[in-house]
Amino acid sequence: MQKANVVDIKEIHLGIFHSLMLEFEQHRLPRLLRLKDKVDSGKVINDVDFEFLRKEIKDACTTKHLTVVYPELEEFCLQLGHLYKELCDKALENEMR
């Protein structure tokens, strides 16, 4: 009986991951890439961009524990963290000019 519960939980997690990845691919990633283009071109981010980036980083911090249970997510999370750092560094650089 215990084994069935673990399988059920993994199935639920897979469904949640699938939904989260669709949301990421269709909405969050395109917006992050537009924001990257903006800061790479030397523009300053506005309050809406800042709040979006702040929320993205907060969400990443909230879900980082999943890499312990699902180590296959680690590389994805590391790359995303690197993108967030690049965006923040470039946004700060643009703001300081």
Side-chain angles (χ1 to χ4, degrees):
M1 188 73 166
Q2 178 109 9
K3 188 173 184 173
N5 288 338
V6 171
V7 171
D8 292 343
I9 290 171
K10 290 242 181 206
E11 287 293 319
I12 291 169
H13 285 179
L14 287 175
I16 292 169
F17 289 149
H18 180 71
S19 295
L20 289 173
M21 289 308 293
L22 281 175
E23 153 73 15
F24 179 78
E25 289 175 353
Q26 294 174 358
H27 301 287
R28 293 180 182 215
L29 182 59
R31 187 161 178 197
L32 285 166
L33 294 176
R34 286 192 305 272
L35 188 55
K36 183 169 180 0
D37 288 343
K38 184 176 186 176
V39 297
D40 285 347
S41 69
K43 295 180 183 169
V44 175
I45 64 172
N46 59 35
D47 290 343
V48 174
D49 294 332
F50 178 80
E51 276 305 307
F52 169 73
L53 189 55
R54 187 193 64 74
K55 183 184 176 305
E56 286 295 302
I57 293 169
K58 182 181 177 193
D59 287 351
C61 289
T62 301
T63 58
K64 70 181 177 184
H65 70 280
L66 292 173
T67 61
V68 173
V69 180
Y70 297 96
E72 60 272 21
L73 294 175
E74 187 173 16
E75 184 63 29
F76 171 76
C77 293
L78 288 172
Q79 289 179 5
L80 197 53
H82 183 71
L83 175 60
Y84 294 150
K85 182 179 181 330
E86 282 182 24
L87 284 168
C88 291
D89 289 348
K90 191 67 175 176
L92 181 59
E93 179 184 315
N94 294 347
E95 188 73 35
M96 299 298 276
R97 284 192 230 163

